[in-house]
Amino acid sequence: VQLVESGGGSVQTGGSLRLSCVASRYTPCMAWFRQNPGEAREGVTSIGRDGSTTSTDAVKGRFIISRDNLKKSLYLEMNNLKPEDTGMYYCAADNSWASCDTDIDFLYWGQGTQVTVSS
């Protein structure tokens, strides 16, 4: 499965961005991760085949994950952005039909799209 992200950019604190990820085929479990140089990759949010979602506490109430299965696409609506949201954002996908959260070992990864939030 190939994943291609888009939508990153530079915004000021309080701004919004919408990330998109297009997959070469449908996968039941998809997620967004982020990472800064020298830091561990962090699971941000996931969405399963039934639309159930999980999110890390840091983004709850600000980020919304969604998917369009017909378009084989994953989205991340990011609102009220903070400098600590800065990072490379990666789309991930897996064939897991059971549980779907950012703790599973995702098989497929995109190249990433950079998000920079300035204060």
Side-chain angles (χ1 to χ4, degrees):
V1 178
Q2 294 179 331
L3 304 171
V4 179
E5 304 100 330
S6 62
S10 297
V11 296
Q12 293 188 328
T13 298
S16 298
L17 283 173
R18 186 176 191 246
L19 306 183
S20 298
C21 172
V22 180
S24 57
R25 68 165 174 84
Y26 171 81
T27 53
C29 179
M30 300 189 79
W32 289 99
F33 289 76
R34 63 187 180 191
Q35 187 174 24
N36 283 302
E39 298 180 6
R41 186 169 57 200
E42 175 189 21
V44 178
T45 183
S46 68
I47 186 166
R49 61 184 177 91
D50 60 354
S52 59
T53 64
T54 68
S55 296
T56 187
D57 287 345
V59 306
K60 285 181 179 178
R62 299 188 299 121
F63 290 14
I64 301 172
I65 188 172
S66 62
R67 64 189 300 169
D68 184 329
N69 293 332
L70 289 178
K71 295 182 178 180
K72 294 173 287 187
S73 293
L74 177 72
Y75 306 102
L76 183 63
E77 186 75 32
M78 304 187 293
N79 301 305
N80 191 22
L81 282 160
K82 305 175 181 180
E84 51 264 43
D85 295 318
T86 293
M88 185 70 78
Y89 281 70
Y90 297 92
C91 173
D94 196 82
N95 297 319
S96 173
W97 286 85
S99 63
C100 181
D101 57 56
T102 56
D103 289 331
I104 72 172
D105 190 13
F106 282 83
L107 282 174
Y108 311 108
W109 294 85
Q111 294 300 306
T113 184
Q114 179 68 36
V115 171
T116 303
V117 185
S118 58
S119 57

